Amino acid sequence: MSTPALVGSCGCGAVRFEIAEPLLGALYCHCTRCQKRSGTAYQASALAAPGSVTVTDGAEHLRDWRPGGHAKAYCGECGAHLFARDPETGAIAAVRMSAIDGDPGVRPQARQYVAYHPAWSPIPDDGLPRYDEAMPRLQP
């Protein structure tokens, strides 16, 4: 049996997962949905290879918020946000980087939806490309 590339969990540990393949990339999202979900000015997500993420414990605790586009999966026990899931198949398309234990092996490559960034938190001058709307390709 091989060791997974990465592991992670929700805040309370009720939901645990493994990622069997390296993540494909990452981004910061400044959209108002991410702000409301995370309680911050933006959140970081990593794109997962299709079929590479497996929930190993606590799948019964997962809940989805379906505001349109990808479903936003979170732990129903502690509220920690974990995944973006394909609304048709339920397949995990992206993982919230804060849920990954250790170094995810990728760094955010861009900032999307910066047109919606709140005035109370300046966007860091980190040199990353900025997109007023969705970034091409890494959209979950």
Side-chain angles (χ1 to χ4, degrees):
M1 185 178 241
S2 64
T3 303
L6 295 168
V7 296
S9 66
C10 65
C12 70
V15 179
R16 297 185 183 283
F17 61 92
E18 296 179 350
I19 306 170
E21 297 178 36
L23 295 165
L24 303 175
L27 59 76
Y28 292 115
C29 185
H30 298 260
C31 78
T32 56
R33 288 179 184 162
C34 285
Q35 291 171 36
K36 300 284 185 183
R37 275 187 311 102
S38 68
T40 63
Y42 54 90
Q43 65 92 62
S45 291
L47 185 65
S52 67
V53 181
T54 303
V55 175
T56 57
D57 288 304
E60 69 274 14
H61 299 293
L62 286 174
R63 304 291 180 267
D64 283 353
W65 176 46
R66 298 176 181 269
H70 282 79
K72 316 308 182 199
Y74 62 95
C75 174
E77 296 296 312
C78 68
H81 292 269
L82 301 168
F83 313 116
R85 296 204 261 200
D86 182 291
E88 302 287 321
T89 67
I92 296 170
V95 178
R96 306 303 175 214
M97 292 178 75
S98 60
I100 298 169
D101 298 336
D103 186 347
V106 295
R107 302 293 180 265
Q109 301 161 270
R111 295 177 175 279
Q112 69 176 6
Y113 294 105
V114 298
Y116 307 95
H117 190 78
W120 51 262
S121 175
I123 298 174
D125 186 14
D126 54 14
L128 293 177
R130 297 177 183 192
Y131 298 88
D132 282 345
E133 299 290 331
M135 177 184 156
R137 295 183 306 254
L138 292 177
Q139 295 182 26

